């Protein structure tokens, strides 16, 4: 296989040996595969097998190098073997174009239509139909396509676009929808995939795809490899880059440059102080003074850079506050519109006052109704009166009987009380002195 020309950005890198098919070292097999396609109608199975082989090898090459753009000439150089190039590749490219797997570069990089649907129909429907008609018209010609015509492989473009989105989505959330330089995107993709073959040119093609699908906005000429490019990316969709966003990006970039400049000046200042100390220790006072003079100049530069840095940071802070105020104002407007819609439903001061007055009247009427319902009936009053009188008579009669019983008990107690006083005192009497009881006389039965 031919070596890769590193100075030519159009050449594709050759596949390493571990990614080549096993039959690549078999001369007989490869001579057959390098030959042109035979008529498809004669042996369709052989045609399909040969096309499948080259299709898989081309996909492996494009995926390995993450190359979105290629030509037949580039493939010939990448697949050159023993001084021979495959002459069957134009047929493979024709079939890939017919199936919509690849499109012309000039059609891919054109400015997008006003809608994604219009761009997709123009690229995937109209252009292939025109190409198919032209191919059928010139079928008998010897050269159907130009080997130097550039094509874009859409699956590789989509894959690289997803890699770019993944680097943005897994980064700091504050970076989403902010401007990012192209160089930073290339570095993020290399770090994500650990693939050093990713080039800025292929990243530009992936960004064009994201722009056409409304997931990226570009500031600068995307086709000029020497031009700087600012990118705003989001998987949820983005709008065009505004002057405010571009100005904020420039201010942040200037802030970063000033901070780095001040850090360098601080290091130079420390170096001057160390040199002055070393000259003083060796009694080179004149050289030490020169070091101190340089230190003073550096301090003046640091002071100027610091003032500029404070101004830039103040501007960024004011812009951030302005964005916050604008968002708050938008929320106020939305709330005001919502409240105005409530007025359409009859929520006005007069309607509310009338409703509250009616509610007060209704509550007063209900209060009166409850009071009337709580009043006892006349029959109940009569029944209660008679019951109360009967209950009082029962209490009086029971109270009289109780008084009589108490009086009788007291009278009996008063009668028996004097008799208790006449009883002898038996406390000093010893029970042993008492005479034993007499046995009862036993009577004999009579005969």
């Amino acid at each position: 296989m031919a070596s890769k020309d590193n100075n030519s950005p159009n050449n594709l890198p050759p596949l390493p040996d571990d990614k080549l098919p096993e039959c690549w070292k078999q001369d007989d097999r490869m001579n057959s595969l390098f030959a042109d396609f035979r008529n498809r109608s004669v042996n369709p199975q052989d045609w399909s097998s040969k096309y499948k082989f080259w299709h898989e090898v081309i996909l492996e090459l494009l995926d390995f190098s993450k190359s979105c753009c290629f030509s037949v000439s580039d493939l010939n150089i990448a697949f050159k073997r023993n001084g021979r190039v495959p002459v069957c590749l134009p047929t493979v490219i024709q079939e890939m174009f017919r199936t919509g797997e690849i499109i012309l570069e000039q059609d891919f990089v054109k400015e997008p239509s006003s809608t994604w649907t219009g761009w997709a129909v123009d690229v995937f429907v109209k252009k292939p139909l025109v190409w198919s008609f032209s191919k059928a018209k010139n079928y008998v010609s010897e050269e159907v396509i130009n080997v130097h015509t550039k094509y874009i492989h859409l699956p590789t473009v989509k894959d690289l676009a997803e890699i770019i989105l993944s680097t943005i989505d897994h980064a700091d959330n504050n970076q989403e929808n902010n401007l990012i330089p192209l160089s930073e995107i290339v570095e993020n993709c290399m770090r994500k995939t650990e693939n050093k073959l990713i080039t800025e040119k292929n990243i530009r093609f992936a960004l064009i795809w994201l722009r056409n699908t409304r997931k990226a906005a570009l500031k600068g000429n995307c086709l000029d490899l020497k031009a700087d490019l600012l990118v705003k990316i989001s998987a949820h969709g983005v709008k065009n880059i505004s002057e405010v966003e571009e100005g904020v990006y420039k201010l942040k970039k200037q802030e970063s440059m000033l901070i780095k400049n001040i850090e360098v000046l601080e290091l130079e200042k420390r170096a001057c102080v160390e040199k002055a100390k070393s000259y003083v220790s060796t009694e080179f006072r004149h050289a030490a003074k020169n070091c101190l003079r340089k230190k003073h100049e550096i301090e003046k530069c640091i002071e100027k850079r610091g003032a500029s840095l404070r101004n830039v940071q103040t501007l960024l802070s004011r812009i951030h506050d302005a964005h916050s105020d604008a968002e708050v104002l938008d929320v106020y407007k939305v709330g005001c519109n919502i409240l105005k819609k409530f007025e359409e439903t009859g929520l006005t001061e007069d309607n509310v006052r009338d409703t509250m007055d009616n509610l007060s009247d209704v509550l007063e009427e209900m209060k009166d109704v409850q009071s009337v319902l709580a009043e006892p009936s006349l029959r109940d009053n009569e029944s209660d009166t008679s019951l109360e009188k009967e209950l009082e008579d029962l209490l009086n009669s029971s109270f009289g009987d109780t008084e009589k019983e108490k009086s009788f008990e007291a009278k009996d107690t008063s009668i028996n009380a004097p008799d208790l006083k006449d009883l002898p005192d038996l406390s000093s009497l010893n029970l042993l002195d008492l005479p034993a009881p007499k046995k009862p006389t036993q009577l004999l039965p009579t005969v």
Side-chain angles (χ1 to χ4, degrees), residues 64 344 402:
F64 169 72
E344 299 176 359
T402 304

Side-chain angles (χ1 to χ4, degrees), residues 297-313:
E297 294 296 330
I298 292 175
E299 288 178 346
K300 292 180 181 179
C301 292
I302 292 175
E303 185 177 356
K304 292 179 181 179
R305 298 292 188 277
S308 301
L309 179 61
R310 287 192 296 272
N311 292 334
V312 172
Q313 291 176 342

Side-chain angles (χ1 to χ4, degrees), residues 10-164:
N10 295 327
N11 287 350
L12 295 173
L15 280 173
D17 294 338
D18 60 339
K19 293 186 176 295
L20 288 172
E22 296 180 358
C23 63
W24 192 264
K25 296 180 181 181
Q26 302 174 7
D27 293 338
D28 295 339
R29 175 62 175 163
M30 294 310 301
N31 289 335
S32 175
L33 291 172
F34 268 52
D36 199 359
F37 279 86
R38 297 179 181 181
N39 193 336
R40 188 172 188 177
S41 60
V42 176
N43 192 345
Q45 293 182 354
D46 181 69
W47 193 98
S48 300
S49 175
K50 190 172 184 178
Y51 171 76
K52 180 181 179 182
F53 171 83
W54 284 111
H55 182 259
E56 291 178 354
V57 173
I58 292 173
L59 294 185
E60 185 69 29
L61 175 63
L62 298 179
D63 182 69
F64 169 72
S65 60
K66 293 301 178 185
S67 297
C68 305
C69 181
F70 67 95
S71 65
V72 176
S73 177
D74 297 331
L75 295 178
N76 287 335
I77 296 174
F79 295 131
K80 194 172 184 179
R81 179 181 181 275
N82 296 334
R84 293 184 58 191
V85 296
V87 296
C88 59
L89 291 181
T91 305
V92 178
I93 298 304
Q94 291 174 10
E95 184 65 17
M96 293 176 67
F97 190 95
R98 186 187 66 81
T99 58
E101 189 173 351
I102 61 175
I103 62 174
L104 295 173
E105 180 187 8
Q106 60 187 7
D107 296 332
F108 180 80
V109 299
K110 65 180 295 186
E111 289 295 326
S113 303
S114 58
T115 61
W116 153 250
T117 305
W119 178 82
V121 170
D122 187 37
V123 171
F124 297 110
V125 179
K126 294 182 179 180
K127 295 298 181 181
L129 287 177
V130 173
W131 182 86
S132 299
F133 175 77
S134 176
K135 178 179 179 296
K137 183 179 179 182
N138 301 307
Y139 184 78
V140 294
S141 61
E142 294 181 359
E143 185 178 1
V144 178
I145 63 173
N146 189 344
V147 295
H148 299 292
T149 301
K150 293 293 184 180
Y151 299 93
I152 300 296
H153 188 246
L154 295 179
T156 303
V157 172
K158 295 178 182 179
D159 183 49
L160 197 54
E162 291 298 328
I163 293 174
I164 295 174

